[in-house]
Amino acid sequence: MINLFEESKAYEEQIIQDRRYLHQHPEIGFDLPNTQKYIQQRLEEMGIAYKQCGKVPPEVRKKYARAGFADQEQCTGVVATIGQGSPCILLRADMDALPIHEEVESEFTSKVDGRMHACGHDSHVAMLLGAAQLLKNHEAELQGTVKLFFQPGEEWGYGSKLMIDDGALENPKVDAAFGIHIMPDQEAGTLSVTKGTLSQAMDTYIVDIQGNGGHSSQPHKTIDANMIMNQLYTSLNLLMTREADPSQSVTFSVGSMSGGTVTNVIPDKAVLSGNMRSYDQKTRDHLCVRIPEMIDHVVKAWRGEYSTTEFHTPTTYNDPDFVDTITPFLEQVVGTENLVDLGVLSGSEDFSYISQAVPSAFVILGTGKEGEAPVHNPRMKQNEDIFKYGAALHASVALGWLSSQQR
């Protein structure tokens, strides 16, 4: 039997070196030209064929610009293949950073002020590059194709979708997918595997309200955009309490409300921005119909007009049968005693688009311990000794699953 974990130890220094370089050079969003170049260079060194992948349609650029994101024309994804023929399993790593100023002093602290790999995507890329080397070493033994999926824009919730729309799941057609996320406040070396729904869906609504402004002493001559905004805030929050099953975990939070500049002017315009988080698809489907209806009725009831910008990220779903199939290959790397189920994630994750398309598993690898700074924290750090496990997990799942499909 191939011992991929022992093999991964030979590449541990390279994995750490890859991670440290990426950590020092964080990029944000869909357009990560330096990160893409680095990945391509490393793939070339290993003799692995790749292609660039991802396009940003004009309507997507427009939505993100409205939401306050930088306008980016490019989606710098990379898709590489090892082996040939069917079946095909996809291994995914996201690679974008966050607009956070790093507060950890080290020899590889971020060199870009105000940007940090605070969600571990640098280590995700490094682990997948390590797995690429392991799989390339065993290419003759692959009973199918492994597709490596390096994606930008996870923090923007849409990078994987841009690559899928550009054909990333085709040629060859992907039959299953696997991904790893590190967690610095989870015990190092433990692997959390949850069957079924893993992460929340996120449905975001930015409502631009158009009223008719005027003097604060003459409200009858105005259409008060601020009043409409506040009515809408109340109505949307009440909607969750009346029409979501109390047994389902659903939240609606308004993160931003703005309108007006001074006390004696009723403003023309106001903006409300909020999002719903949910796990249950039936509940989500119902509320994604009702929220736009509520917006329409409340605004029009007070004679206002509006436009809405929406973003929708589905739940990440771990296919139970696929999880059962790959569990032995996970155990070969981390051991049965380190395989745990820590339950669902409270956030959203755009691996979800892949998991909605093909049978998938998304697992959580601990790289620290409880009480350590979590992801999205400027003081986040990781135990680099764990990265070789991630490389071996990717390779073990790919080799093992491809072999299992021949039986």
Side-chain angles (χ1 to χ4, degrees), residues 5-16:
F5 177 63
E6 286 301 316
E7 283 191 37
S8 71
K9 291 179 181 179
Y11 301 104
E12 181 173 21
E13 185 177 334
Q14 180 65 58
I15 295 169
I16 292 173

Side-chain angles (χ1 to χ4, degrees), residues 27-28 30-40 76:
E27 296 177 293
I28 291 174
F30 300 137
D31 190 10
L32 319 180
N34 183 66
T35 306
Q36 181 188 57
K37 181 180 178 182
Y38 186 85
I39 290 168
Q40 292 174 169
T76 52

Side-chain angles (χ1 to χ4, degrees), residues 125-137:
V125 172
M127 293 188 301
L128 188 52
L129 287 172
Q133 183 65 72
L134 295 172
L135 291 166
K136 187 63 178 176
N137 293 348

Side-chain angles (χ1 to χ4, degrees), residues 111-124:
K111 292 183 176 181
V112 185
D113 188 48
R115 294 185 181 183
M116 176 189 176
H117 269 292
C119 201
H121 298 183
D122 51 346
S123 56
H124 297 170

